[in-house]
Amino acid sequence: MYALLATAAEPAAVELQLWDDGGSPASDVRKVAAASLAGAVRATEREHRPRWVWDRAQHWYPGLLAAGTRVERCHDLALCQAILLHSQFTAGTGYRQRARALPPEDLPPAAGPDTAQGSLFDQPARNAGWGLDAVAAELAAQKTAIASSTHPARLSLLTTAESAGALVAAEMQNEGIPWRTDLHRRLLDELLGTEPPDHARPPKLEALAVELRAALDAPALNPDSPQDLMRALHRAGIDAKSTRSWELQEYQHRAIGPLLAYRKLSRLFTTNGWAWLDQWVRAGRFHPEYLVGGVVSGRWASRGGGAMQIPKQIRGAAVADPGFKLVVADAAQLEPRVLAALAQDSAMAAAGRDKDLYAGIAAQGFGGERAMAKVALLGAIYGSTSGESGRLMPQLTRMYPRAVGFVEEAARAGERGEQVSTHLGRSTPPVSEQWRAGQRSSTADEQRRAESAARSRGRFTRNFVVQGTAAEWACCWLAELRRRLRALAPEPALLPDRALAPAGGAPAGTAITTRPELVFFLHDEVMVHCPDALVGAVTEIVHESSRVATRLLFGRIPLEFPVNVTVVDSYADAK
DNA sequence: GCACTGAGCGCG
DNA sequence: AAAGCGCGCTCAGTGC
């Protein structure tokens, strides 16, 4: 059962259409004003449990969530099209010719309770949206492409997981990470001093700048200017070739201490200081925007507030509401395990029999040196040629010829300008004509550049197959986790919607929902904001979902993907 | 004034 | 010890 959702020709109106799985024409067409969309969707969801088909979840779902409506399943045409257009698995299906151009990405968010009051001029782009016919046609084209591809089951899983990811992303965005403004401010106070007016430099930072200028005998130095700083360092006899912290560490000079301290605090002040709090934290929640499949490899990206770079320094401000815990889980050595599975390297799988794959590898051939094993393995996945990991490669190759051979092959294909694919069929974009032309260059200088470009692309494709497949595993994990969390606590969280709560009602950070909610996801890590009573059940679900994800991707294999779970009040205490 | 790049650094 | 993958964000600096 599908339910199609599309913009109609008139602004501020949308259409729903139900489809049975045979793809027979509309059996139940509802045309609704945007203002009542949430109600119509809720009713349809209750009666039919359909898979919603829409151009982009990101344009419909936030509005529905704001109006208290959750959706169980969907097919996100934009995300799936992005996969199918480039996938090597669909190369022979003719989908590229049949695919329809998507509506522009900057359509306004759909159909919240307020949108009907907006003037027509508020939503000019709505007219450019898809109608039902276009939605139906694109869905049919995608289904055909998947069915006639070289790996229908894999692409079907990938598009389903990606679409579920779109739902998770919107829900997490809506929910937000519990964020204690008071704790964050206390932290800033301790590290930076009292907040100065007008975004001026805080006291402790200013003091370090003064100390630094004195140490370098440069009274006008702007420590935020790399050029300015470089000149001052050289005058003081420090002949560093960059001003990177790790390089400056090597020098003995009384300016280095204050400079490194300044760097660290300046970073905190500018990126995650008071301005960040004002901009990104509302009502005790940090609401970043997630971009599903925003990275070429299929990883998610994010926009707003730097959600994927929350420094360890401030994680103490992410604290569960009273009566709740944070269940924080991360997949142990996800990428190396993915490599072992992809390459079907049973020696490496054996090393991962216990929870710590690196320790297992160290025991098999690096004299028990875990750090060495880790550097070597990551070097293989990233394409390192020099340094310690480069030196360890021959040893690693002797131990795991299949695993190393697998990434080597991906690298060689990339160097030849070929595409490579993840396990489920996300492929690298084809190389540009410019790249290809560069490879045919004649002069010695051009040839050196071409070889360097080829090696660089080899490192990219080498990493792509592993990172991208790891992203697929994580997406399946997340989707299964979401499904099971819904089954655990099926009551929708309609107790008063945060957006509708009376002003001055619940203070920031007070519990509003009573069900466990996914609130954060980062590559191989998830966070569930979980009522105390459900912590045990949720922990079990997290583990079980990882087993399901492994099964879905790889079938029955002699390798597990263990997950580390910690139950904490504060994110700072996770791991 | 705006768009862009590079340096630097946070995360996985 | 400081190379090799993928990002986002901020500031300085540059070019228009």
Side-chain angles (χ1 to χ4, degrees):
Chain A
M1 172 67 68
Y2 288 90
L4 310 190
L5 188 51
T7 51
E10 321 86 77
V14 294
E15 288 181 61
L16 316 179
Q17 185 182 75
L18 290 178
W19 253 21
D20 67 29
D21 286 276
S24 69
S27 53
D28 178 7
V29 178
R30 307 177 188 195
K31 189 160 182 176
V32 298
S36 61
L37 174 64
V41 165
R42 204 175 305 152
T44 310
E45 182 90 358
R46 201 164 39 236
E47 294 159 24
H48 304 285
R49 299 177 43 127
R51 183 182 299 280
W52 290 95
V53 183
W54 42 33
D55 51 357
R56 287 185 168 85
Q58 185 139 42
H59 287 136
W60 295 103
Y61 202 25
L64 294 175
L65 285 168
T69 299
R70 282 178 184 247
V71 152
E72 189 173 329
R73 307 184 299 164
C74 85
H75 182 99
D76 186 306
L77 291 168
L79 292 178
C80 295
Q81 181 179 92
I83 291 168
L84 297 173
L85 276 178
H86 282 150
S87 176
Q88 291 181 294
F89 296 179
T90 61
T93 62
Y95 175 69
R96 283 169 189 68
Q97 287 74 48
R98 278 200 298 278
R100 292 173 165 254
L102 287 157
E105 201 165 338
D106 56 355
L107 284 176
D114 301 328
T115 43
Q117 282 119 43
S119 106
L120 298 186
F121 302 105
D122 289 341
Q123 343 187 337
R126 276 274 154 224
N127 277 325
W130 269 354
L132 279 180
D133 291 347
V135 170
E138 177 62 20
L139 175 66
Q142 294 191 4
K143 288 172 74 172
T144 303
I146 293 167
S148 58
S149 72
T150 53
H151 296 84
R154 293 187 189 184
L155 276 182
S156 177
L157 174 58
L158 177 55
T159 49
T160 300
E162 187 87 343
S163 296
L167 297 180
V168 175
E171 288 162 8
M172 290 198 312
Q173 199 171 315
N174 180 248
E175 198 62 26
I177 304 171
W179 207 270
R180 286 274 298 274
T181 310
D182 57 331
L183 295 182
H184 192 143
R185 285 183 189 280
R186 192 189 300 167
L187 228 137
L188 295 176
D189 264 16
E190 282 162 13
L191 295 168
L192 296 168
T194 312
E195 178 184 8
D198 304 327
H199 302 97
R201 221 178 246 149
K204 300 206 176 178
L205 203 50
E206 185 57 40
L208 284 167
V210 168
E211 193 183 344
L212 178 61
R213 290 192 194 105
L216 290 174
D217 197 21
L221 172 71
N222 172 9
D224 295 323
S225 161
Q227 294 183 14
D228 207 4
L229 189 59
M230 190 66 132
R231 282 190 291 269
L233 288 172
H234 285 165
R235 273 200 305 276
I238 303 170
D239 58 344
K241 49 189 191 306
S242 81
T243 69
R244 289 186 175 88
S245 292
W246 58 261
E247 191 185 339
L248 295 175
Q249 271 170 22
E250 306 305 312
Y251 292 86
Q252 308 282 329
H253 190 285
R254 67 193 186 96
I256 300 300
L259 175 51
L260 295 178
Y262 180 90
R263 273 278 166 78
K264 194 84 185 155
L265 287 184
S266 167
R267 171 88 192 178
L268 173 64
F269 168 58
T270 56
T271 308
N272 295 104
W274 295 278
W276 181 89
L277 270 173
D278 292 342
Q279 191 173 1
W280 300 112
V281 180
R282 311 188 310 269
R285 294 289 188 271
F286 168 35
H287 293 271
E289 181 184 0
Y290 296 92
L291 303 176
V292 175
V295 179
V296 262
S297 63
R299 273 185 173 185
W300 293 14
S302 80
R303 185 153 66 189
M308 307 221 148
Q309 307 120 256
I310 302 172
K312 301 223 156 90
Q313 248 175 339
I314 62 162
R315 292 186 182 184
V319 171
D321 291 343
F324 283 71
K325 295 284 185 204
L326 300 177
V327 178
V328 182
D330 75 291
Q333 309 102 32
L334 178 56
E335 294 194 353
R337 286 174 190 275
V338 161
L339 172 56
L342 283 171
Q344 302 182 18
D345 189 316
S346 39
M348 189 175 280
R353 202 55 43 85
D354 293 322
K355 245 193 155 186
D356 188 343
L357 174 71
Y358 297 132
I361 288 177
Q364 284 185 0
F366 289 96
E369 284 289 335
R370 184 183 186 276
M372 221 189 257
K374 181 174 177 177
V375 163
L377 198 44
L378 291 179
I381 293 172
Y382 293 157
S384 169
T385 52
S386 64
E388 190 189 358
S389 69
R391 283 194 298 281
L392 296 172
M393 281 300 289
Q395 165 73 353
L396 195 72
T397 308
R398 276 194 298 278
M399 294 167 68
Y400 311 111
R402 286 184 70 101
V404 175
F406 187 89
V407 283
E408 284 295 323
E409 181 42 47
R412 299 291 92 81
E415 289 170 3
R416 292 192 296 266
E418 296 165 15
Q419 290 178 278
V420 297
S421 297
T422 60
H423 187 65
L424 294 185
R426 190 188 306 264
S427 304
T428 50
V431 293
S432 65
E433 202 33 60
Q434 200 184 354
W435 190 94
R436 232 177 254 294
Q439 295 300 306
R440 295 190 295 263
S441 54
S442 46
T443 73
D445 190 50
E446 281 175 348
Q447 248 170 39
R448 253 193 307 281
R449 256 206 300 276
E451 280 160 23
S452 162
R455 278 194 303 276
S456 171
R457 186 158 192 282
R459 288 192 300 274
F460 165 63
T461 52
R462 168 198 295 268
N463 186 250
F464 180 93
V465 293
V466 178
Q467 185 185 110
T469 305
E472 287 164 352
W473 184 93
C475 197
C476 290
W477 182 39
L478 197 56
E480 181 67 13
L481 185 49
R482 173 181 185 268
R483 197 178 71 76
R484 287 172 181 257
L485 287 178
R486 291 170 68 90
L488 181 68
E491 281 306 302
L494 293 177
L495 350 154
D497 188 282
R498 202 189 321 286
L500 305 176
T510 303
I512 306 258
T513 61
T514 57
R515 49 184 275 167
E517 296 283 358
L518 279 160
V519 294
F520 188 54
F521 169 62
L522 179 55
H523 307 323
D524 61 356
E525 176 182 342
V526 298
M527 183 191 291
V528 180
H529 190 232
C530 180
D532 287 335
L534 294 177
V535 159
V538 167
T539 301
E540 185 43 47
I541 281 177
V542 168
H543 286 298
E544 185 54 30
S545 298
S546 91
R547 288 189 279 272
V548 172
T550 306
R551 214 25 218 291
L552 283 171
L553 245 80
F554 301 118
R556 291 190 186 278
I557 54 168
L559 175 63
E560 293 191 3
F561 287 70
V563 171
N564 294 314
V565 184
T566 51
V567 178
V568 293
D569 290 308
S570 166
Y571 189 26
D573 301 328
K575 278 191 234 178

